[in-house]
Amino acid sequence: MLKNNLDNASRQQKVEAIAEAMIRLDASGNATAESIKNLTGITQADLDNVADDARALAFTRQNGKPRVSVPAGMAA
């Protein structure tokens, strides 16, 4: 296992690192919590803290721009 290289990282840096790991591991079909922790060196507590945001970011990066809701009055 790697030394936790995200010890002093901001929350956003952790989200981005985990999202990139999810994308990389998903391509190989091995995106599990254990494989993400092994790849990044993040702790379980940090992973639990950022997993939802990282998953959303990974999805957005893989599938293009997210869908947004625009009020009908502003839609053209």
Side-chain angles (χ1 to χ4, degrees):
M1 186 162 125
L2 297 174
K3 178 183 178 293
N4 188 350
N5 55 5
L6 297 173
D7 274 341
N8 297 320
S10 69
R11 185 177 193 286
Q12 185 59 34
Q13 289 171 323
K14 290 176 184 177
V15 168
E16 290 179 13
I18 299 307
E20 289 301 319
M22 287 176 172
I23 292 168
R24 183 180 310 160
L25 291 168
D26 188 46
S28 68
N30 192 26
T32 64
E34 280 304 311
S35 62
I36 290 169
K37 290 189 306 186
N38 288 338
L39 182 63
T40 61
I42 196 165
T43 64
Q44 183 65 48
D46 281 342
L47 181 59
D48 291 342
N49 187 32
V50 300
D52 290 336
D53 291 338
R55 190 175 300 112
L57 180 60
F59 179 82
T60 300
R61 287 184 177 175
Q62 282 185 311
N63 298 303
K65 295 183 179 180
R67 298 171 104 184
V68 294
S69 177
V70 177
M74 295 179 67

